[in-house]
Structure formats: C-alpha cells, structure tokens
Amino acid sequence: MKVDLRLLAALVVALTVGGCTSGAKKNAETAETAAPAIAPKNIERTIPPAVITNPTERANFIVTHFWDKFDFRDTTYCNTPVMDQAFVDYLAAFPYTAPDKREQGVKLLLDKAEMDVVMYNYCFRMAEKYLYEPNSPMRNDEFFIPFLDHVVNSKRLDDVHKIRPRHLLELAYRNRIGTKALDFTYIIASGAKKRLYSLASPYLLLMFYNPECPECHRTIEMLKSSPVVTDAIASGKLKVLLVYPDENLDAWKKHLSEIPSTWINGYDTITIKENELYDLKAIPTLYLLDKNKTVIFKDTSTGDIHDFLSKE
C-alpha cells in the first residue's frame, strides 16, 4: 500500500510533544482565563494500536482519542506552550480524517472541556486562533464549524457570550464548499456593471484582492507565471475574476496595467464588504467555482488551485 508521507509526518507530529512560544489571543467573548501557578507537565497522548495500519484510520483514532488521558479540570494548562502545542498536534490530523470522525472528535473534546468553563473557553479560543485567524496557515472554515456549532449550542455559556460565535458560524456557512456562491455586481474599468453569475466557464477563479497588498501582488504573479492556469484560460476551461472590495479607486486604476488582459478585473466599493457577502478575513481570498457557481474551494491557496487544474 502506498503511504502518504505528508500524512505520516502529521501523525508523527501528533504523537510528539514539542515546544511552542505562541500564546493564546485573549477574546472579549471568552474573557475567563487561568494563569498557571507552575509550568504543567507534558500531556500524555493516546497512541493508536499497532493493528491500525491504515493512515486515515490512524488519523481518525487520533482525533477521537487524543484527549483521553487529559484532565480537563486542570486549568493550569491554559495559556501554556504545552497546551498550545498539544492543540496544534491535535488539529494537524484534521486534514486526513473523515468528516464524521472529525466532528465526533470535536464533540468529545468540548463535551469534556465543558466541566470547567475556563477550560471550555480556552479550547474554543485555541480553535479560533488556528482555524479562523487570518495569519494562521491552518485556517479552515470546515474544521472550525464543529467548534462553533458546539459553542452556539452549549448550556455553559449565556447568550451574550454566543453573539460572536453565532456570527462566525453564519459566515462559515456562507459560500460553504458544495453550496452556490452568492451572486454580486462588480464594475469594470469601462464603467460597465457585470454580475458574477453572468460569467460562463467550466471553472471560475474568484479572487478578492487589494492592488497595493504585497501578498496580493505575489499571488497574482504566481498565477500569471503558472502554465497550468495560463493553459486553462487559453483553452476556455477557466476564467479569472479579480474583485477589489474597497473604496480607493485611484489605487485600483493605478495598477490596472499589471493585470493580464485575459483576466477580468473589477471592483465593488460597498455591497460585498458592508453586507459581508464573503468572509474576507484575509486578503487575498481565493475561491474556485464550477460552471454552476458551486464552491469547490473556499479561502484556498494557489497550490490547491494549481493541483486541481492539473488533474482536470
């Protein structure tokens, strides 16, 4: 059987305790914290039985048994490198698990954490830090949704503390993978108004960007230099739509010449941003849509786009 080396690496990490200096971001919605009096000991991990050899099954075991030996009453672990690293290792197995096992694992974790509201809030903050915050390489709405669902339905929190999680859950479900992307109007350089749904193509790469954003510039250059993207556009398989969702039109016009003529470049100064039609937690934000405007990838990377088009 061919083994995915990336998966094996993730599973090794998930069974190893390392050091991490990053701390949890304090959130007003989950303000209760616990400052450890002493540095807690390393967290004992539950190792998959040797008889489980399939990589996916081992990942499923990890996410459903990772916290079996952890004492959720011990809040001295909160806001420590030990717990921070443990959470990273736990989440590292998520991309390789079945969705039902991932949801089961999150429920098991948060059901146990609910015995102490400090620990419960801390676990949610860790999930938000790694699965939602814009600078996290692990950012993933699909992985974050089970955490949000649990918090919104928790009997341990009052409605005030659920306001922000409810809003984040609404955004996570909006333009979710497998659903139709929300339609909107954009304006091109000629002043003509166009609609997302009016674009006909087997695939559509939708990119929200800022022309003066360095990361946006790097992303655009990567797409411009990709033979796979260029060939997909030339063959009619792909269209690329850039949308600037802000108000500095002078900056947008200044950089128009940098965008390939085979791409579509437009702006929307009000609707997308103010109505939060798309959750633009980071810029650039990339979506890949099919011919029916169904979301294939949400908040994805150029690497995922390239790999997908390479196989089509």
Side-chain angles (χ1 to χ4, degrees):
M1 179 179 66
K2 186 177 180 180
V3 178
D4 189 331
L5 296 180
R6 293 178 300 174
L7 173 55
L8 288 182
L11 297 185
V12 169
V13 170
L15 295 174
T16 306
V17 176
C20 182
T21 58
S22 60
K25 179 181 178 183
K26 188 171 181 178
N27 189 300
E29 299 296 336
T30 54
E32 295 142 6
T33 60
I38 57 174
K41 62 182 180 180
N42 288 336
I43 297 172
E44 186 177 359
R45 315 298 175 86
T46 302
I47 301 174
V51 295
I52 301 179
T53 58
N54 179 275
T56 299
E57 292 178 1
R58 289 182 70 83
N60 289 340
F61 183 94
I62 287 173
V63 298
T64 54
H65 294 278
F66 191 93
W67 305 101
D68 283 1
K69 299 179 181 180
F70 183 69
D71 182 3
F72 286 89
R73 296 167 298 183
D74 189 352
T75 57
T76 61
Y77 279 97
C78 295
N79 304 316
T80 63
V82 169
M83 188 65 167
D84 197 295
Q85 183 62 51
F87 222 90
V88 170
D89 295 346
Y90 166 66
L91 295 177
F94 274 38
Y96 310 100
T97 56
D100 62 326
K101 291 297 182 182
R102 192 164 58 236
E103 292 170 8
Q104 179 186 352
V106 172
K107 187 176 188 306
L108 288 169
L109 162 63
L110 295 182
D111 280 353
K112 294 176 181 178
E114 272 190 312
M115 68 175 61
D116 189 292
V117 71
V118 171
M119 182 62 74
Y120 185 71
N121 285 336
Y122 175 76
C123 288
F124 175 70
R125 289 199 309 276
M126 286 293 94
E128 182 177 355
K129 172 183 177 181
Y130 290 110
L131 299 178
Y132 183 78
E133 290 190 3
N135 293 324
S136 172
M138 304 178 82
R139 188 175 76 236
N140 189 303
D141 278 359
E142 287 300 306
F143 299 166
F144 193 33
I145 283 174
F147 289 93
L148 290 167
D149 272 327
H150 199 285
V151 169
V152 166
N153 292 290
S154 174
K155 296 181 180 179
R156 292 284 283 171
L157 302 179
D158 58 32
D159 285 341
V160 172
H161 286 87
K162 293 180 181 181
I163 292 175
R164 187 166 186 273
R166 280 198 183 104
H167 181 61
L168 294 182
L169 184 60
E170 180 183 347
L171 292 177
Y173 275 114
R174 194 170 296 168
N175 304 302
R176 191 179 185 184
I177 292 173
T179 67
K180 293 196 71 171
L182 294 177
D183 194 13
F184 60 86
T185 299
Y186 60 92
I187 302 173
I188 59 176
S190 67
K193 291 185 177 181
K194 304 289 184 177
R195 299 195 72 87
L196 174 71
Y197 276 26
S198 68
L199 293 173
S201 178
Y203 298 105
L204 173 65
L205 173 55
L206 170 61
M207 175 176 164
F208 296 99
Y209 84 117
N210 184 317
E212 296 189 325
C213 154
E215 186 58 34
C216 295
H217 180 74
R218 282 191 289 270
T219 300
I220 289 171
E221 290 303 312
M222 289 175 66
L223 292 171
K224 285 166 62 174
S225 63
S226 168
V228 172
V229 172
T230 302
D231 291 346
I233 294 172
S235 68
K237 183 169 66 176
L238 177 72
K239 286 186 177 179
V240 178
L241 170 62
L242 301 188
V243 178
Y244 172 54
D246 223 319
E247 301 174 353
N248 188 357
L249 296 185
D250 288 339
W252 178 75
K253 293 175 182 177
K254 178 181 177 182
H255 294 273
L256 283 176
S257 61
E258 300 171 6
I259 306 302
S261 59
T262 54
W263 297 14
I264 306 165
N265 189 11
Y267 67 87
D268 172 78
T269 60
I270 299 176
T271 307
I272 294 173
K273 189 174 180 179
E274 290 193 0
N275 294 337
E276 293 186 299
L277 295 184
Y278 288 77
D279 185 13
L280 306 181
K281 61 178 73 74
I283 290 292
T285 296
L286 282 72
Y287 285 74
L288 184 65
L289 313 180
D290 69 10
K291 63 180 180 180
N292 299 314
K293 305 302 181 289
T294 299
V295 179
I296 299 173
F297 291 129
K298 175 182 181 179
D299 193 10
T300 191
S301 66
T302 54
D304 286 339
I305 299 293
H306 184 278
D307 291 346
F308 180 87
L309 293 176
S310 298
K311 299 172 184 177
E312 288 297 303

